Amino acid sequence: AQSVTQLGSHVSVSEGALVLLRCNYSSSVPPYLFWYVQYPNQGLQLLLKYTSAATLVKGINGFEAEFKKSETSFHLTKPSAHMSDAAEYFCAVSDPGGYQKVTFGTGTKLQVIP
Amino acid sequence: EPEVTQTPSHQVTQMGQEVILRCVPISNHLYFYWYRQILGQKVEFLVSFYNNEISEKSEIFDDQFSVERPDGSNFTLKIRSTKLEDSAMYFCASSDGSGYSQYFGPGTRLLVL
């Protein structure tokens, strides 16, 4: 069974500062990994995905994540935070294959301070 | 850009009543899912559906729940006799199976009183 652990339920950064949201995964098979963002009162939007190709994955809105097998990590980063990045971010994992269920982490709420 | 839609956006019901949540997946997708998110908790998988049958279901998806694709476009989740603990945001998702991604709808917020 797969799982993901997100370190830090709340993260605060200043506008313009580096954003780093941490995610570690556990999987018995090579996983597919995802980051989703949820803005207040909205649904889940896919930011980026790792599906066993390039280990550095670029997503929308300037976000990227690096798959590190040795560390079982898939941390999300953005060089410079914008006010509009304030949202909840979910790391997620699935077995390989585009039809498998997705298992979500508990989420990290990102606050951006002006 | 194609998107998953869900209706209603909000639903309030009395405990013991039946509710049907509706979803229109992306048109060329073949795999369909329901997830739920209880307030303040993580998103949890409920059920996946392919080729007109359930592919996988979680422990949460008991006999009170059922899913159906009544026509070529809709995908529904029925809760036969709602309980207070069914109050949650319910998300529908769809996937074409080859794109490695599930696309989520905006959710239906269900409140059981």
Side-chain angles (χ1 to χ4, degrees), chain A residues 97-100, chain B residues 4 25-26 28-33 49-50 93-104:
Chain A
Y99 53 89
Q100 300 285 357
Chain B
V4 177
I26 295 173
N28 63 337
H29 284 187
L30 302 175
Y31 299 86
F32 314 109
Y33 313 82
F49 190 85
Y50 170 71
S94 70
S95 166
D96 66 6
S98 62
Y100 313 111
S101 304
Q102 293 178 19
Y103 293 87
F104 284 76

mmCIF file of all heavy atoms in Angstrom, chain A residues 97-100, chain B residues 4 25-26 28-33 49-50 93-104:
data_model
loop_
_atom_site.group_PDB
_atom_site.id
_atom_site.type_symbol
_atom_site.label_atom_id
_atom_site.label_comp_id
_atom_site.label_asym_id
_atom_site.label_seq_id
_atom_site.Cartn_x
_atom_site.Cartn_y
_atom_site.Cartn_z
ATOM 1 N N GLY A 97 0.255 3.431 -13.781
ATOM 2 C CA GLY A 97 -0.945 3.239 -14.592
ATOM 3 C C GLY A 97 -1.868 4.398 -14.376
ATOM 4 O O GLY A 97 -2.074 4.845 -13.260
ATOM 5 N N GLY A 98 -2.432 4.908 -15.445
ATOM 6 C CA GLY A 98 -3.230 6.117 -15.326
ATOM 7 C C GLY A 98 -4.598 5.908 -14.744
ATOM 8 O O GLY A 98 -5.356 6.848 -14.577
ATOM 9 N N TYR A 99 -4.931 4.695 -14.377
ATOM 10 C CA TYR A 99 -6.277 4.423 -13.896
ATOM 11 C C TYR A 99 -6.326 4.086 -12.411
ATOM 12 O O TYR A 99 -7.390 3.835 -11.865
ATOM 13 C CB TYR A 99 -6.857 3.237 -14.681
ATOM 14 C CG TYR A 99 -5.950 2.033 -14.661
ATOM 15 C CD1 TYR A 99 -6.049 1.085 -13.646
ATOM 16 C CD2 TYR A 99 -4.979 1.852 -15.626
ATOM 17 C CE1 TYR A 99 -5.214 -0.001 -13.605
ATOM 18 C CE2 TYR A 99 -4.130 0.760 -15.593
ATOM 19 C CZ TYR A 99 -4.256 -0.157 -14.589
ATOM 20 O OH TYR A 99 -3.419 -1.232 -14.562
ATOM 21 N N GLN A 100 -5.191 4.069 -11.752
ATOM 22 C CA GLN A 100 -5.137 3.638 -10.358
ATOM 23 C C GLN A 100 -5.655 4.724 -9.420
ATOM 24 O O GLN A 100 -5.544 5.920 -9.697
ATOM 25 C CB GLN A 100 -3.703 3.294 -9.973
ATOM 26 C CG GLN A 100 -3.082 2.194 -10.789
ATOM 27 C CD GLN A 100 -3.618 0.827 -10.410
ATOM 28 O OE1 GLN A 100 -4.422 0.701 -9.482
ATOM 29 N NE2 GLN A 100 -3.189 -0.202 -11.102
ATOM 30 N N VAL B 4 -14.155 18.506 -15.614
ATOM 31 C CA VAL B 4 -15.168 17.706 -14.940
ATOM 32 C C VAL B 4 -16.136 18.656 -14.229
ATOM 33 O O VAL B 4 -15.685 19.604 -13.570
ATOM 34 C CB VAL B 4 -14.500 16.767 -13.910
ATOM 35 C CG1 VAL B 4 -15.557 15.986 -13.144
ATOM 36 C CG2 VAL B 4 -13.514 15.829 -14.600
ATOM 37 N N PRO B 25 -18.064 13.636 -16.355
ATOM 38 C CA PRO B 25 -16.612 13.524 -16.582
ATOM 39 C C PRO B 25 -16.213 14.125 -17.927
ATOM 40 O O PRO B 25 -17.066 14.459 -18.749
ATOM 41 C CB PRO B 25 -16.389 12.006 -16.576
ATOM 42 C CG PRO B 25 -17.604 11.410 -15.941
ATOM 43 C CD PRO B 25 -18.725 12.342 -16.294
ATOM 44 N N ILE B 26 -14.929 14.226 -18.141
ATOM 45 C CA ILE B 26 -14.415 14.672 -19.426
ATOM 46 C C ILE B 26 -14.791 13.639 -20.481
ATOM 47 O O ILE B 26 -14.687 12.426 -20.254
ATOM 48 C CB ILE B 26 -12.895 14.903 -19.344
ATOM 49 C CG1 ILE B 26 -12.627 16.066 -18.388
ATOM 50 C CG2 ILE B 26 -12.295 15.171 -20.717
ATOM 51 C CD1 ILE B 26 -11.163 16.308 -18.066
ATOM 52 N N ASN B 28 -13.918 12.080 -23.297
ATOM 53 C CA ASN B 28 -13.225 10.920 -23.839
ATOM 54 C C ASN B 28 -12.581 10.062 -22.756
ATOM 55 O O ASN B 28 -11.805 9.152 -23.057
ATOM 56 C CB ASN B 28 -12.175 11.361 -24.863
ATOM 57 C CG ASN B 28 -11.088 12.210 -24.232
ATOM 58 O OD1 ASN B 28 -11.298 12.822 -23.184
ATOM 59 N ND2 ASN B 28 -9.930 12.252 -24.854
ATOM 60 N N HIS B 29 -12.894 10.356 -21.498
ATOM 61 C CA HIS B 29 -12.314 9.584 -20.413
ATOM 62 C C HIS B 29 -13.106 8.298 -20.168
ATOM 63 O O HIS B 29 -14.311 8.220 -20.433
ATOM 64 C CB HIS B 29 -12.262 10.422 -19.137
ATOM 65 C CG HIS B 29 -11.164 11.435 -19.176
ATOM 66 N ND1 HIS B 29 -10.835 12.220 -18.082
ATOM 67 C CD2 HIS B 29 -10.296 11.778 -20.159
ATOM 68 C CE1 HIS B 29 -9.823 13.006 -18.410
ATOM 69 N NE2 HIS B 29 -9.492 12.768 -19.652
ATOM 70 N N LEU B 30 -12.385 7.300 -19.653
ATOM 71 C CA LEU B 30 -12.969 5.980 -19.494
ATOM 72 C C LEU B 30 -13.026 5.521 -18.040
ATOM 73 O O LEU B 30 -13.732 4.565 -17.732
ATOM 74 C CB LEU B 30 -12.160 4.955 -20.298
ATOM 75 C CG LEU B 30 -12.039 5.225 -21.802
ATOM 76 C CD1 LEU B 30 -11.108 4.205 -22.433
ATOM 77 C CD2 LEU B 30 -13.407 5.185 -22.469
ATOM 78 N N TYR B 31 -12.242 6.176 -17.186
ATOM 79 C CA TYR B 31 -12.164 5.779 -15.790
ATOM 80 C C TYR B 31 -12.761 6.895 -14.944
ATOM 81 O O TYR B 31 -12.470 8.072 -15.156
ATOM 82 C CB TYR B 31 -10.708 5.534 -15.378
ATOM 83 C CG TYR B 31 -10.037 4.429 -16.147
ATOM 84 C CD1 TYR B 31 -9.433 4.674 -17.377
ATOM 85 C CD2 TYR B 31 -10.009 3.129 -15.652
ATOM 86 C CE1 TYR B 31 -8.826 3.660 -18.084
ATOM 87 C CE2 TYR B 31 -9.403 2.107 -16.359
ATOM 88 C CZ TYR B 31 -8.806 2.379 -17.572
ATOM 89 O OH TYR B 31 -8.206 1.370 -18.268
ATOM 90 N N PHE B 32 -13.542 6.496 -13.957
ATOM 91 C CA PHE B 32 -14.252 7.480 -13.146
ATOM 92 C C PHE B 32 -14.092 7.141 -11.672
ATOM 93 O O PHE B 32 -13.990 5.961 -11.311
ATOM 94 C CB PHE B 32 -15.737 7.504 -13.544
ATOM 95 C CG PHE B 32 -15.952 7.541 -15.023
ATOM 96 C CD1 PHE B 32 -16.452 6.438 -15.696
ATOM 97 C CD2 PHE B 32 -15.618 8.661 -15.753
ATOM 98 C CE1 PHE B 32 -16.633 6.464 -17.075
ATOM 99 C CE2 PHE B 32 -15.781 8.699 -17.127
ATOM 100 C CZ PHE B 32 -16.283 7.589 -17.790
ATOM 101 N N TYR B 33 -14.089 8.187 -10.866
ATOM 102 C CA TYR B 33 -13.765 8.010 -9.456
ATOM 103 C C TYR B 33 -14.620 8.951 -8.609
ATOM 104 O O TYR B 33 -15.024 10.020 -9.055
ATOM 105 C CB TYR B 33 -12.302 8.366 -9.188
ATOM 106 C CG TYR B 33 -11.313 7.766 -10.151
ATOM 107 C CD1 TYR B 33 -11.078 8.353 -11.387
ATOM 108 C CD2 TYR B 33 -10.616 6.606 -9.838
ATOM 109 C CE1 TYR B 33 -10.181 7.809 -12.282
ATOM 110 C CE2 TYR B 33 -9.713 6.056 -10.723
ATOM 111 C CZ TYR B 33 -9.499 6.661 -11.942
ATOM 112 O OH TYR B 33 -8.615 6.115 -12.829
ATOM 113 N N PHE B 49 -14.432 3.271 -11.201
ATOM 114 C CA PHE B 49 -15.460 2.674 -12.058
ATOM 115 C C PHE B 49 -14.941 2.657 -13.480
ATOM 116 O O PHE B 49 -14.465 3.678 -13.989
ATOM 117 C CB PHE B 49 -16.714 3.545 -11.952
ATOM 118 C CG PHE B 49 -17.957 2.995 -12.570
ATOM 119 C CD1 PHE B 49 -18.769 2.133 -11.863
ATOM 120 C CD2 PHE B 49 -18.348 3.375 -13.850
ATOM 121 C CE1 PHE B 49 -19.952 1.656 -12.408
ATOM 122 C CE2 PHE B 49 -19.516 2.897 -14.411
ATOM 123 C CZ PHE B 49 -20.325 2.034 -13.677
ATOM 124 N N TYR B 50 -15.027 1.486 -14.100
ATOM 125 C CA TYR B 50 -14.554 1.349 -15.476
ATOM 126 C C TYR B 50 -15.388 0.297 -16.180
ATOM 127 O O TYR B 50 -15.723 -0.737 -15.596
ATOM 128 C CB TYR B 50 -13.071 0.949 -15.489
ATOM 129 C CG TYR B 50 -12.540 0.553 -16.847
ATOM 130 C CD1 TYR B 50 -12.357 1.507 -17.844
ATOM 131 C CD2 TYR B 50 -12.236 -0.775 -17.138
ATOM 132 C CE1 TYR B 50 -11.883 1.148 -19.097
ATOM 133 C CE2 TYR B 50 -11.769 -1.146 -18.389
ATOM 134 C CZ TYR B 50 -11.592 -0.172 -19.357
ATOM 135 O OH TYR B 50 -11.124 -0.523 -20.590
ATOM 136 N N ALA B 93 -13.773 12.481 -10.199
ATOM 137 C CA ALA B 93 -12.588 12.603 -11.040
ATOM 138 C C ALA B 93 -12.712 11.668 -12.219
ATOM 139 O O ALA B 93 -13.448 10.672 -12.162
ATOM 140 C CB ALA B 93 -11.324 12.295 -10.241
ATOM 141 N N SER B 94 -11.990 11.991 -13.282
ATOM 142 C CA SER B 94 -11.968 11.090 -14.427
ATOM 143 C C SER B 94 -10.569 11.047 -15.018
ATOM 144 O O SER B 94 -9.761 11.956 -14.813
ATOM 145 C CB SER B 94 -13.000 11.516 -15.478
ATOM 146 O OG SER B 94 -12.642 12.725 -16.125
ATOM 147 N N SER B 95 -10.318 9.972 -15.740
ATOM 148 C CA SER B 95 -9.009 9.750 -16.340
ATOM 149 C C SER B 95 -9.196 8.993 -17.636
ATOM 150 O O SER B 95 -10.108 8.159 -17.752
ATOM 151 C CB SER B 95 -8.136 8.939 -15.377
ATOM 152 O OG SER B 95 -6.995 8.433 -16.024
ATOM 153 N N ASP B 96 -8.304 9.260 -18.600
ATOM 154 C CA ASP B 96 -8.379 8.470 -19.829
ATOM 155 C C ASP B 96 -7.564 7.198 -19.709
ATOM 156 O O ASP B 96 -7.531 6.384 -20.607
ATOM 157 C CB ASP B 96 -7.954 9.289 -21.046
ATOM 158 C CG ASP B 96 -6.482 9.679 -21.015
ATOM 159 O OD1 ASP B 96 -5.742 9.232 -20.110
ATOM 160 O OD2 ASP B 96 -6.070 10.458 -21.889
ATOM 161 N N GLY B 97 -6.861 7.043 -18.585
ATOM 162 C CA GLY B 97 -6.125 5.816 -18.340
ATOM 163 C C GLY B 97 -4.723 5.819 -18.888
ATOM 164 O O GLY B 97 -3.879 5.052 -18.451
ATOM 165 N N SER B 98 -4.461 6.700 -19.839
ATOM 166 C CA SER B 98 -3.118 6.726 -20.411
ATOM 167 C C SER B 98 -2.378 8.012 -20.087
ATOM 168 O O SER B 98 -1.186 8.107 -20.287
ATOM 169 C CB SER B 98 -3.191 6.583 -21.930
ATOM 170 O OG SER B 98 -3.897 7.677 -22.481
ATOM 171 N N GLY B 99 -3.121 8.994 -19.595
ATOM 172 C CA GLY B 99 -2.525 10.300 -19.333
ATOM 173 C C GLY B 99 -1.917 10.432 -17.964
ATOM 174 O O GLY B 99 -1.425 11.475 -17.603
ATOM 175 N N TYR B 100 -1.989 9.358 -17.182
ATOM 176 C CA TYR B 100 -1.356 9.303 -15.870
ATOM 177 C C TYR B 100 -1.910 10.331 -14.893
ATOM 178 O O TYR B 100 -1.315 10.578 -13.864
ATOM 179 C CB TYR B 100 0.166 9.487 -15.974
ATOM 180 C CG TYR B 100 0.782 8.633 -17.046
ATOM 181 C CD1 TYR B 100 1.310 9.195 -18.192
ATOM 182 C CD2 TYR B 100 0.799 7.252 -16.924
ATOM 183 C CE1 TYR B 100 1.861 8.405 -19.182
ATOM 184 C CE2 TYR B 100 1.354 6.454 -17.913
ATOM 185 C CZ TYR B 100 1.878 7.040 -19.031
ATOM 186 O OH TYR B 100 2.413 6.268 -20.005
ATOM 187 N N SER B 101 -2.994 10.960 -15.209
ATOM 188 C CA SER B 101 -3.543 11.982 -14.321
ATOM 189 C C SER B 101 -5.032 11.804 -14.186
ATOM 190 O O SER B 101 -5.705 11.397 -15.130
ATOM 191 C CB SER B 101 -3.284 13.380 -14.875
ATOM 192 O OG SER B 101 -1.926 13.603 -15.101
ATOM 193 N N GLN B 102 -5.517 12.139 -13.018
ATOM 194 C CA GLN B 102 -6.947 12.226 -12.808
ATOM 195 C C GLN B 102 -7.316 13.706 -12.715
ATOM 196 O O GLN B 102 -6.628 14.476 -12.052
ATOM 197 C CB GLN B 102 -7.360 11.492 -11.530
ATOM 198 C CG GLN B 102 -7.156 9.997 -11.628
ATOM 199 C CD GLN B 102 -7.505 9.261 -10.360
ATOM 200 O OE1 GLN B 102 -8.222 9.765 -9.505
ATOM 201 N NE2 GLN B 102 -6.999 8.043 -10.243
ATOM 202 N N TYR B 103 -8.390 14.054 -13.373
ATOM 203 C CA TYR B 103 -8.870 15.427 -13.358
ATOM 204 C C TYR B 103 -10.089 15.501 -12.449
ATOM 205 O O TYR B 103 -11.040 14.730 -12.609
ATOM 206 C CB TYR B 103 -9.203 15.882 -14.778
ATOM 207 C CG TYR B 103 -7.969 15.991 -15.631
ATOM 208 C CD1 TYR B 103 -7.490 14.878 -16.321
ATOM 209 C CD2 TYR B 103 -7.261 17.176 -15.716
ATOM 210 C CE1 TYR B 103 -6.333 14.955 -17.088
ATOM 211 C CE2 TYR B 103 -6.104 17.265 -16.480
ATOM 212 C CZ TYR B 103 -5.653 16.154 -17.155
ATOM 213 O OH TYR B 103 -4.508 16.240 -17.902
ATOM 214 N N PHE B 104 -10.024 16.426 -11.515
ATOM 215 C CA PHE B 104 -11.043 16.514 -10.487
ATOM 216 C C PHE B 104 -12.063 17.604 -10.794
ATOM 217 O O PHE B 104 -11.716 18.666 -11.326
ATOM 218 C CB PHE B 104 -10.404 16.804 -9.128
ATOM 219 C CG PHE B 104 -9.736 15.613 -8.520
ATOM 220 C CD1 PHE B 104 -8.504 15.174 -8.983
ATOM 221 C CD2 PHE B 104 -10.339 14.921 -7.481
ATOM 222 C CE1 PHE B 104 -7.888 14.061 -8.425
ATOM 223 C CE2 PHE B 104 -9.731 13.813 -6.909
ATOM 224 C CZ PHE B 104 -8.508 13.378 -7.381
#
